Amino acid sequence: MSDTYDVIVIGLGGMGSAAAYHLAAQGYRVLGLERFTPAHNRGSSHGGSRIIRQSYFEDPAYVPLLLRSYELWEQLARDSGDEVYRLTGGLYVGPPESLTVAGSLRASRAWSLPHEVMDAAEIRKAFPNFAPEPHFIGLYEEQAGFARPELTVGAHLELAARAGATLRFGEQVQDWKESGGGVTVTTATGVHTAGQLVICPGAWAPKLLADLGVGIEIERQVMYWLEPVIGAAKFERDPIYIAENDAGAQIYGFPAIDGTDGGVKTAFFRKGIVCTPDTIDREVHAQEVTEMRSRVTELLPALAGRLLHAATCMYANTADQHFVIARHPAHTAVTVACGFSGHGFKFVPVVGEILAELAMTGGTRHPIDLFAPQRLVTL
């Protein structure tokens, strides 16, 4: 079969579902293609929670996008009726010179974001579950919290469909090409044509965007849900946190957001194994659980209980750990979003808005120079 649209979106995870929604909401004829089911658990947009924050230690240049993203999170919650995000406050802990603390403070000061700096004793008093090293400090940000990835993807897909988008699941893309002022996408079940193409491939970027010339490494990550020895109820009012030790290794985690039987989620940040979507080991091994428990109990001693469950996901990492969001340098009808390097989900709503603008107007009102693919081209 063959059909024609204004724009085709490949990949309907976090970024692709948001792009499909923003495009359809503007009245464009949209086709969304996804190789798996809606809000699946095979890529990077699952696991029940993702941190959202504004005091951004990665680079203060992200903050304007975060401020807009927060506006769109609220709009998505209102339009969908779902609790796609919740503010819990955020605590960033480590040595004063650590990236986690010093970088967060730099972004807060650069953009006049409300924040509070706390020493170790003040952290212990305010948040009794936390036991930081005596020389550690923390930055507390009231406007931090978490997003629900599955709910977010589902909400964007539902709103996109409501606005007229055609969404097809279980339809794997085999090839795409630019031709005749538009694009042609071939899948296992048909050929689709459109004026524009948006590619949000997640961990499949090395295959679908091979000609982009950008090296993207796929990394297996593990998320753990531990049972607190004092009961999960004592963790319900805690902030989200990111903690860095003296060696520069980061962990992150959440309050008990899934009830008293749901445990407390924690994970290492950027401690993974290189893989591909086809070779990723989905089994979580006992040694990994032991290592996670040992590390997190340095900060949260009560997380010494049993593992309730664990899950794997994938980071798609660029060399500098910044995103790629741009018109494809070699294809005028193609827009790409990839390489979100483990910290992209909080930007999902604004990335959808950006992709819609890039695809249909060739430009965007948002500052995205940091994400130009040319900085990473290796071909």
Side-chain angles (χ1 to χ4, degrees), residues 332-377:
T332 58
V334 180
T335 300
V336 301
C338 59
F340 288 95
S341 303
H343 64 111
F345 200 87
K346 60 188 68 66
F347 297 90
V348 157
V350 73
V351 170
E353 185 173 70
I354 290 168
L355 293 174
E357 291 175 354
L358 287 174
M360 307 316 295
T361 71
T364 177
R365 78 191 95 160
H366 296 291
I368 61 168
D369 290 347
L370 181 63
F371 311 135
Q374 290 84 349
R375 76 187 195 277
L376 299 167
V377 170

Side-chain angles (χ1 to χ4, degrees), residues 261-291:
D261 297 325
V264 174
K265 180 183 172 184
T266 187
F268 287 103
F269 187 47
R270 303 196 190 290
K271 179 180 169 55
I273 299 170
V274 175
C275 67
T276 72
D278 296 324
T279 63
I280 181 174
D281 180 4
R282 298 283 181 182
E283 181 182 355
V284 177
H285 304 277
Q287 181 181 350
E288 294 178 299
V289 179
T290 298
E291 186 177 9

